Amino acid sequence: MKFTIQREAILKPLQTVSGVVERRQTLPILSNVLVDVSPTGIALTATDLEVEMKVFTPLDTPEGGRTTLPARKFMDICRALPEGAQLHISVEKDRAVIKSGKSRFVLSTLPAVEFPNIEEMRPVLEFSIAQGVLKRLIERTQFAMANQDVRYYLNGLLLEVDANELRAVATDGHRLAYCSIPNDIKIEENHSVIVPRKGIGELQRLLSDIDMPVQVQIGTNHIRVMTNELKFTSKLIDGRFPDYQRVIPQNPDKLVVAERDTLRHAVQRTSILTNEKYRSIRLQLEPGTLKVLAHNPEQEEAEEEISVDYLGGGLEIGFNSTYILEALAAITDDTVELRLSDANSCCLIQAAGDMHCKYVVMPMRL
């Protein structure tokens, strides 16, 4: 196998697929990238058996072939070469030789036949959506996913598709993020899948804020997202996601309207003096004002007071400041609403007048 390619043409796809490769692998082949050269171009594939990434780059080459190269070393070599460098790559037996100018590198290879292939999926649902829309849906919810929770179904993002809406929901048991977008997908029955944390992270990194559509295929065990140059496949989590509708407060009787940045900065400053483990703050509400308070085991204290639109009675309630800040960061509007009932009930946070994205945070004991 021999081919010649410009540094920039191979570096970007290499960087894209290398995000899937784990540094510590039980199987040596999983540390490699599959290089598949055909007369029309070069396809690079990486996998960790849960997520698979394949990127295609057009290339005019007379000689094809397949091999696997150490992903990190191959990428580091390409990155270290000067801009505009031409790479001449040849593979014989179990060695690959990379030449560029007066530089020469020899890498060990592993047989392409050993490279694992995620089973061919038969989609039960297929639809098209703008990249930017899907990216925003993920960005506004993914932060609430659990991380290595024993309730494995929480370590991912729920995607629900019906004839009117595409919804994303994430929760770690202490807070919940919900976001929906209208759609006109023609389907016979509703579908819901849980995409694992790593798959969601890779998708967020891959998608661009553009209107160019991506094709989404959902199978019984996998989800696939495709463009002309890229094919991303992830296994699904087999589990039952909690009934999130029961968590979202339906009729809270206290409404607080605040400027998002003013509230966010007040919570940020106050959280400097929170307990490092629990990150707890107290919100004290009185008509027209909101106080944000914190203290820590060193007897240090912080207090911020801001003006809000609130006409209810006095209320004091505790929250994890990180959960509040991440919910506020996911909202892009200037004005936010906090809906509360009492000191023991969840807080619903959303942009003023926006019913599409909702954030629920459980209270902490004061």
Side-chain angles (χ1 to χ4, degrees):
M1 182 175 95
K2 292 181 181 179
F3 65 95
T4 299
I5 192 167
Q6 193 177 26
R7 170 187 178 267
E8 285 69 28
I10 190 81
L11 180 57
K12 187 175 179 181
L14 256 179
Q15 289 172 327
T16 300
V17 301
S18 293
V20 172
V21 179
E22 296 284 356
R23 290 189 180 276
R24 295 178 181 175
Q25 293 285 6
T26 51
L27 293 172
I29 193 75
L30 297 181
S31 298
N32 282 19
V33 59
L34 175 66
V35 182
D36 191 345
V37 179
S38 68
T40 56
I42 178 170
L44 301 177
T45 308
T47 183
D48 66 353
L49 299 181
E50 181 182 280
V51 171
E52 181 184 272
M53 188 89 67
K54 184 174 184 177
V55 180
F56 180 80
T57 301
L59 180 67
D60 185 12
T61 178
E63 188 175 336
R66 301 173 87 228
T67 190
T68 76
L69 299 174
R72 302 283 175 187
K73 292 174 185 175
F74 188 23
M75 183 174 68
D76 288 345
I77 289 169
C78 294
R79 189 185 281 147
L81 290 170
E83 285 187 23
Q86 289 277 68
L87 279 73
H88 306 279
I89 301 172
S90 60
V91 178
E92 286 188 18
K93 296 184 180 179
D94 60 349
R95 289 285 183 269
V97 179
I98 303 171
K99 295 179 181 178
S100 181
K102 296 185 178 181
S103 303
R104 180 176 177 271
F105 307 89
V106 180
L107 292 177
S108 337
T109 67
L110 287 172
V113 291
E114 292 181 13
F115 195 83
N117 216 350
I118 286 186
E119 63 194 66
E120 278 302 313
M121 59 175 282
R122 293 180 179 177
V124 294
L125 174 65
E126 190 168 355
F127 61 91
S128 180
I129 186 172
Q131 281 195 50
V133 172
L134 184 58
K135 184 180 176 72
R136 286 192 293 276
L137 195 68
I138 291 171
E139 285 177 340
R140 292 177 183 182
T141 50
Q142 55 80 28
F143 61 87
M145 289 185 294
N147 189 13
Q148 296 183 330
D149 197 294
V150 292
R151 298 164 292 180
Y152 59 94
Y153 47 82
L154 298 184
N155 301 318
L157 186 81
L158 175 71
L159 286 179
E160 287 189 328
V161 189
D162 65 30
N164 302 311
E165 278 187 336
L166 175 63
R167 292 182 290 274
V169 187
T171 180
D172 61 6
H174 302 287
R175 37 83 181 270
L176 179 143
Y178 165 99
C179 199
S180 68
I181 54 167
N183 71 52
D184 55 357
I185 299 169
K186 294 177 175 59
I187 58 175
E188 294 179 2
E189 59 181 85
N190 298 348
H191 288 271
S192 64
V193 294
I194 306 173
V195 186
R197 184 184 186 87
K198 181 170 183 179
I200 289 297
E202 288 300 318
L203 261 182
Q204 186 179 355
R205 183 173 68 89
L206 289 171
L207 296 171
S208 304
D209 289 311
I210 57 176
D211 293 331
M212 190 81 70
V214 291
Q215 200 71 16
V216 179
Q217 294 179 343
I218 295 175
T220 51
N221 300 311
H222 295 88
I223 184 170
R224 179 168 286 163
V225 178
M226 296 180 294
T227 66
N228 290 336
E229 302 84 27
L230 183 145
K231 184 192 289 185
F232 167 85
T233 310
S234 171
K235 283 187 175 179
L236 299 172
I237 294 176
D238 183 15
R240 187 175 180 84
F241 203 80
D243 183 3
Y244 62 87
Q245 293 289 2
R246 292 176 57 188
V247 178
I248 300 174
Q250 299 303 316
N251 297 300
D253 59 352
K254 295 177 174 62
L255 172 63
V256 182
V257 181
E259 290 185 4
R260 184 186 74 106
D261 285 346
T262 303
L263 176 58
R264 188 163 60 92
H265 293 151
V267 174
Q268 276 176 336
R269 289 190 292 265
T270 307
S271 67
I272 295 169
L273 298 185
T274 56
N275 180 308
E276 288 187 10
K277 183 177 180 182
Y278 298 107
R279 311 294 297 171
S280 57
I281 57 170
R282 285 178 293 146
L283 302 185
Q284 286 184 350
L285 275 168
E286 296 291 343
T289 63
L290 168 63
K291 284 185 179 179
V292 186
L293 305 103
H295 66 275
N296 59 32
E298 288 78 39
Q299 306 302 315
E300 297 166 329
E301 297 179 356
E303 179 180 323
E304 291 270 345
E305 183 177 320
I306 64 172
S307 298
V308 295
D309 185 358
Y310 174 67
L311 302 174
L315 175 66
E316 185 170 354
I317 186 169
F319 292 107
N320 181 309
S321 59
T322 301
Y323 297 166
I324 298 288
L325 288 171
E326 288 184 339
L328 293 173
I331 296 171
T332 55
D333 293 43
D334 295 334
T335 308
V336 294
E337 297 177 350
L338 279 64
R339 296 180 179 268
L340 302 145
S341 294
D342 54 53
N344 299 313
S345 299
C346 296
C347 174
L348 174 62
I349 306 172
Q350 59 193 67
D354 180 12
M355 299 301 291
H356 292 294
C357 293
K358 301 176 182 181
Y359 304 94
V360 180
V361 182
M362 288 182 66
M364 299 180 72
R365 289 184 180 179
L366 297 171

